[in-house]
Structures are given as structure tokens and as C-alpha cells.
């Protein structure tokens, strides 16, 4: 296409001339696209002002010569006009018009100034924006498992909620904003639709609290979950984990693509008591974070949270750290729907409501709707340039490129490296089951860098607190620091009892621990009081409380006085670690280990509590020691990655 202003040949789709910057105009249909148009006489006021005086002068001369010519012709029979004069007169007109045309074209051909170029681009952008297609965009989840390669699972739909097809990578742009506010524009490596080959890992979290017995809700929920398993596993790349909860959390079946195992796990779920929803979601996020690909958690519940140790904010924070969304289905009318909508939105998921009537069908429809949403996503892959503060939040945005035909943007906070350990609960359970019943062992771990917790077995159940001096240190060390240090260094019963007395007695210790959130830790006898123990007055704690108390004494350096050598009992420690530990034996053949383990890269607290692994303390120790050695090795592998 040729510019009608300067004659420059442009691309046929150009909206502005590449040479003079003027808007392109459609040429007459009779004009050949390959033939330059004839020169156009400029019609600007400047050009007309230049040519008009010369034209008038020429006309006057013509009139004069004509009059003279009549007289001359009549008197001398000559031609009325001299060819030279006529020629000069018309040459003046032609030169004047040609000069005006050339000057105007020359002026038009000059490169636009910087200001005029920006004005043209602004007009071009404004014109383009008006014609852009508005998009509905959302970053559903982020996979940072291969950092610095990042994968954003992104919804890209039109106003009618239809997924846009055939998206190209140059259609969108990615930008990262660091904790310091610094922005970096990054190149998109690929933008591809989630296909059948894409791995999906879905954690189904099922409510087995006592209220699920009403209206046969538990059985209808099992039917829906089993049918959904069939749908998910129609893609052989998908895996499902079954988590259930009542007052406690149960890892019923680890991630698997075995349809039969998963359905057997669902069928095995039995009704319990209360509703520890937060704990179940927290554990599900921990386990799901060990997978790759598209990952999400779907839970259903028929009542409000009333039994968790983890808080709402801890679940939201873990969801943000891992980039894994949480979806919740509320069953029946006894649900705070507004709250769950807000909660799931904070977890980058969504909330669905289901009536009790025809529950199995409704649940299945919701499951399939969530699953369908995940399949309609695009995978946006790019390489992050984040190289520091990797454990802080960045913001990533995906937006339509300025030159694209679309207009839309999605943002999400994420952590480049969540540093959440890959501890496999299933492997630890296998170790326990090889030695004793799972009910006899509780394990809880706390990552002292991230504060993320891991629990295995009956981690929330109360066990005899043999060898656990840290609770007294936590609440009473400020009373007498020297006595507290002595107690921790040698597991000194007398020093511990002195602190208990100075603090106000056993009930005061228990109340203070409860006030700090350690509700499963109670002191009913003094250290070394065998008679009180035999009379049924025992000290109790849970592995969960123990791990949290270890975190507290780590924060105030109280752990550095824990110097029991676990290898004296035959426990094998991971290589190249520094260990601060206490251990204890007591009534009910209890054998407990409480330790903080450090390397240059990791720091974690671990509580391993056992009971009834033998008929006496000697037999119990013979079972517990090799089992604890294997558990420590498995936990350390998960913490360090090797």
C-alpha cells in the first residue's frame, strides 16, 4: 500500500506511513496495489498561497496580450500572441505549482520529531486498545519445583467465560516484582494448554466427623468420591491422595494412580468425632507440595472448624508458600458460607455449596466442575531472575502484550523457593508398622527455618512425658535461669522440681502451658516421683506440643543445654549433624526422644514418642531404638533432599 501523502510504499496492513508518519488511507479499488499512485498536488493552504499571485499575474498578461492582439491583428494581420510570451506565462504557472508540490512533499518526507513519533504511537495505542478483546485472567497455581523455571497455571477466558484458543507466547508478557519493589520484564519460554499428558495431583480431603452420619451424608460422599476417582484416573498421568479428618487427621492413602487402592481407602473411612478442618488442609498441602505438575486440594465438610491445632492463617500462609489452591465444598445449611468463601479466596481457590438432597450427584458435579477448570488452564513457563530473598514473597503478573489483540492481566504473590521439606509420611508409617502398631508411636517435626510442621501417626495423642524437661524451661526459666540451665544440662530432677515449686506448683505450670497454647501438656507429678506415677498421677504431652515447645526453646537458646548422647542407647544419628537431645523412659514402657538437629543447611526439632512397644522398659527400648534410628534417617533425607 502506498502513502497518499508522500508516495512511500508500506506494508498493506500498516495503519501509519513508515516514512512520513501520516495515517494510511484506503486507496480506490481500481488502483493497482503494486502501482504507485500519480503525484497529488498538495492542497495545503501554504501551497495555495504561494501559487495564487503568479496565476493572477499570468491571467492579466493574457488579457493584455489578447486585447493588444486584437488591435495588432486588425492592423497588421499578425498572430494575436507571441509564442515566447505565452510559453513564459504558462511556464511560470507550472514551475510555481511544481515548486510548491516538491517543497510540500519534501517537508512531508522529513522524519517526524521525537515528540510527533510519541504522539503517533499514543494515537495508535489508543486506537488499538478500543478494539482489543477483554479477557478474564487468573493465575490458578504456581509450580516452583524446578526453580528458576517457573510454571504458572493460568486461566485465559473471554467475557463469555470461554477459554481462548491458540494462544501464542508473544501474545503475553510476564513481569516479576521483588520484595524491594524492583520490576523485571521476563521472556515467556512457552505458553501451552494443559493437555492430557499434563500430570495432575489432587488431594481429596473427606470429612468423617460424627455429624456426617446424619442424612446418610458420609455414604453419599463416598459414592461421589469413588466416581470422581474414575473420572480423574481416566488420565493415567493423574494421581490422587485420600486424606480424612475428624478430631484428628488421617492419611488414608498416599498419592496413587491405583483405582482399587484409592476406592478401598475411601470405603475404609469411619465416622469419628469433631471437625479438624484446618489440620487436614495443612497436612494435605504439605503432602501435595511434594508432587509436581498441576496440584490442588479439594475438601468437603458439613460443619464449622472446632478441633484443629493449626490456625486459619497458617493454612492460608502455607497455600501461598506452596502455590497450591484450596477448594472447599460445604454440605447442608450448618455452614458459614460467607466465611468459607473468603477463606478459599485467600487460598486462591473457591467455595461451593451442596444441598443434602441428592448429595452424591451434586458432589460429583462439583468435583467435575473443579477438575474441568484445571484442564482448561494454560501453562505459562518462564525463567525467574530472582537471586536473593528467595524465601520472601514476589509478585508475578501475566498480561496481554501491548501489540496483541487482547487486554487483560492476572497477578499472584508467590515464593520462589518455599524450602518446605519433602518428608514422606507414608515412608515413616511403613517404618513404624514394620516394628509395632501405628497407635503406639507418634512423630512430630518442626522446620526451625520455615516453622512448617509435619506429623505422623498419633501425633496429637497424649503420651507419658518421660524425659521432657523443656516445658518447665519454657514457662519457669525466668524464675531462676541458673537452676533452669542446670536442669536442661543433666536432666536434673531436683533442679526441675525446684523450678516447679518456685513457679507456684504443678497446677500453675499446667495453667501457664495451656495459656501458651500447649493444651495437651499437663504436669500431675514432680520429676522422679515413682509413687505418684504408680498411683495414676502422670505427666503427659503430645508429639505436636513437644515439637512446638522445642521450637520455643530454640528461639531463646535454651536448647543448647540439651546434651544427652543418644548414641549411648544405640540410636544411629544421620551423618554430619549436631544434635541437642533429651530422652526418657517411664511407665507403660514409654521411650521418648526429643531433639534439635542442625547442619549448615537445615535445622529442625523432632519429637518421637512411643508406648507399649514391649512388656517392660528393656523390651520397649529394644524395639524403639532401631525404629527411631530409621525414622531419623528418613526425616533427615526429607529435610535435606538426600
Amino acid at each position: 500500500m502506498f502513502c497518499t501523502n508522500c508516495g512511500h510504499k508500506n506494508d498493506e496492513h500498516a495503519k501509519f506511513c513508515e516514512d512520513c508518519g501520516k495515517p494510511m488511507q484506503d486507496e480506490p479499488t481500481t488502483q493497482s496495489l503494486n502501482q504507485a499512485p500519480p503525484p497529488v498536488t498538495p492542497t495545503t493552504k501554504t501551497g495555495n498561497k504561494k501559487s495564487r499571485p503568479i496565476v493572477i499575474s499570468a491571467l492579466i498578461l493574457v488579457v493584455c496580450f489578447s486585447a493588444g492582439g486584437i488591435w495588432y491583428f486588425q492592423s497588421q494581420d499578425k498572430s494575436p500572441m507571441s509564442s515566447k510570451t505565452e510559453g513564459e506565462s504558462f511556464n511560470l504557472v507550472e514551475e510555481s505549482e511544481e515548486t510548491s508540490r516538491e517543497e510540500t512533499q519534501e517537508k512531508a518526507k522529513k522524519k517526524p520529531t521525537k515528540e510527533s513519533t510519541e504522539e503517533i504511537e499514543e494515537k495508535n495505542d489508543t486506537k488499538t486498545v478500543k478494539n482489543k478483546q477483554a479477557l478474564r485472567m487468573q493465575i490458578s497455581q504456581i509450580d516452583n519445583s524446578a526453580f528458576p523455571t517457573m510454571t504458572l497455571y493460568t486461566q485465559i477466558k473471554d467475557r463469555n467465560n470461554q477459554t481462548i484458543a491458540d494462544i501464542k507466547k508473544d501474545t503475553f508478557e510476564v513481569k516479576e516484582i521483588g520484595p524491594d519493589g524492583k520490576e523485571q520484564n521476563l521472556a515467556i519460554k512457552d505458553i501451552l494448554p494443559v493437555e492430557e499428558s499434563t500430570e495432575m495431583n489432587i488431594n481429596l480431603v473427606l470429612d468423617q466427623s460424627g455429624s456426617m452420619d446424619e442424612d446418610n451424608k458420609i455414604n453419599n460422599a463416598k459414592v461421589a468420591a469413588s466416581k470422581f476417582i474414575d473420572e480423574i484416573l481416566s488420565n493415567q498421568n493423574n494421581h490422587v491422595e485420600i486424606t480424612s479428618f475428624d478430631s484428628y487427621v488421617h492419611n488414608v492413602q498416599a498419592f496413587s494412580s491405583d483405582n482399587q487402592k484409592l476406592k478401598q481407602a475411601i470405603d475404609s473411612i469411619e465416622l469419628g468425632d469433631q471437625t479438624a478442618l484446618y489440620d487436614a488442609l495443612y497436612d494435605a498441602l504439605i503432602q501435595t507440595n511434594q508432587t509436581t505438575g498441576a496440584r490442588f486440594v479439594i475438601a468437603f465438610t458439613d460443619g464449622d472448624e472446632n478441633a484443629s491445632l493449626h490456625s486459619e492463617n497458617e493454612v492460608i500462609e502455607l497455600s501461598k508458600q506452596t502455590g497450591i489452591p484450596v477448594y472447599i465444598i460445604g454440605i447442608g445449611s450448618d455452614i458459614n458460607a460467607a466465611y468459607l468463601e473468603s477463606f478459599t479466596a485467600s487460598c486462591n481457590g473457591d467455595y461451593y455449596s451442596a444441598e443434602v438432597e441428592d448429595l452424591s450427584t451434586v458432589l460429583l458435579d462439583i468435583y467435575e466442575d473443579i477438575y474441568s477448570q484445571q484442564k482448561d488452564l494454560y501453562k505459562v513457563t518462564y525463567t525467574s531472575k530472582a537471586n536473593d530473598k528467595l524465601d520472601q514473597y514476589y509478585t508475578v503478573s501475566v498480561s496481554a502484550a501491548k501489540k496483541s489483540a487482547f487486554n487483560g492481566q492476572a497477578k499472584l504473590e508467590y515464593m520462589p523457593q518455599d524450602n518446605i521439606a519433602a518428608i514422606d509420611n507414608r515412608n515413616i508409617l511403613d517404618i513404624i508398622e514394620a516394628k509395632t502398631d501405628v497407635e503406639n508411636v507418634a512423630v512430630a517435626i518442626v522446620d526451625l527455618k520455615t516453622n512448617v510442621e509435619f506429623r505422623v501417626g498419633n501425633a496429637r495423642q497424649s503420651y507419658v512425658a518421660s524425659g521432657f524437661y523443656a516445658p518447665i524451661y519454657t514457662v519457669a526459666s525466668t524464675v531462676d535461669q541458673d537452676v533452669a540451665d542446670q536442669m536442661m544440662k543433666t536432666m536434673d530432677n531436683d533442679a526441675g522440681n525446684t523450678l516447679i515449686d518456685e513457679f507456684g506448683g504443678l497446677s500453675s505450670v499446667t495453667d501457664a502451658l495451656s495459656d501458651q497454647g500447649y493444651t495437651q501438656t499437663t504436669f500431675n507429678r514432680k520429676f522422679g516421683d515413682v509413687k505418684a506415677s504408680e498411683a495414676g498421677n502422670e505427666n503427659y504431652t503430645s508429639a505436636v506440643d513437644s515439637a512446638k515447645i522445642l521450637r520455643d526453646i530454640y528461639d531463646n537458646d535454651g536448647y543448647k543445654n540439651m546434651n544427652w548422647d543418644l548414641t549411648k542407647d544405640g540410636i544411629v544419628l544421620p551423618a554430619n549433624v549436631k544434635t541437642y537431645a533429651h530422652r526418657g523412659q517411664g511407665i507403660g514402657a514409654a521411650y521418648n526422644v526429643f531433639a534439635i538437629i542442625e547442619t549448615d543447611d537445615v535445622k529442625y526439632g523432632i519429637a518421637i514418642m512411643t508406648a507399649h512397644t514391649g512388656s517392660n522398659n528393656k523390651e520397649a527400648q529394644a524395639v524403639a531404638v532401631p525404629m527411631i534410628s530409621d525414622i531419623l534417617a528418613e526425616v533427615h533425607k526429607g529435610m535435606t533432599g538426600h
Side-chain angles (χ1 to χ4, degrees), residues 619-630:
E619 289 182 3
Q621 181 174 337
V623 173
V625 165
M627 178 178 64
I628 290 173
S629 298
D630 291 344

Side-chain angles (χ1 to χ4, degrees), residues 238-268:
N238 292 343
H239 300 83
V240 180
E241 177 165 284
I242 307 298
T243 302
S244 67
F245 65 96
D246 44 29
S247 300
Y248 300 94
V249 179
H250 312 279
N251 184 258
V252 187
Q253 173 60 55
F255 277 101
S256 173
S257 58
D258 188 318
N259 194 309
Q260 184 176 357
K261 280 187 177 181
L262 290 165
K263 288 184 176 179
Q264 286 176 347
I266 292 171
D267 290 340
S268 71

Side-chain angles (χ1 to χ4, degrees), residues 20-72:
C20 71
K22 293 291 184 180
M24 298 294 291
Q25 298 178 2
D26 293 337
E27 297 168 4
T29 55
T30 56
Q31 176 76 39
S32 170
L33 293 177
N34 296 319
Q35 180 182 354
V40 179
T41 303
T43 58
T44 61
K45 291 182 179 181
T46 303
N48 288 339
K49 283 182 179 179
K50 280 187 175 182
S51 60
R52 186 176 294 129
I54 302 174
V55 173
I56 293 173
S57 300
L59 289 174
I60 292 172
L61 287 173
V62 170
V63 171
C64 292
F65 275 113
S66 298
I70 295 172
W71 171 80
Y72 183 81

Side-chain angles (χ1 to χ4, degrees), residues 472-488:
I472 304 300
Y473 187 92
T474 298
V475 298
S477 60
T478 55
V479 174
D480 193 328
Q481 188 66 55
D482 291 338
V483 174
D485 289 343
Q486 177 63 30
M487 174 189 69
M488 296 294 283

Side-chain angles (χ1 to χ4, degrees), residues 282-296:
Y282 191 95
D283 284 8
L285 286 167
I286 288 289
Q287 298 306 313
T288 308
N289 191 52
Q290 297 177 34
T291 65
T292 59
R295 309 171 296 174
F296 51 101

Side-chain angles (χ1 to χ4, degrees), residues 469 472 476 480 482-502 527:
Y469 297 83
I472 304 300
D480 193 328
D482 291 338
V483 174
D485 289 343
Q486 177 63 30
M487 174 189 69
M488 296 294 283
K489 285 178 181 178
T490 61
M491 294 192 293
D492 188 325
N493 288 344
D494 291 338
N497 291 334
T498 298
L499 278 180
I500 291 172
D501 290 338
E502 291 181 358
F527 293 111

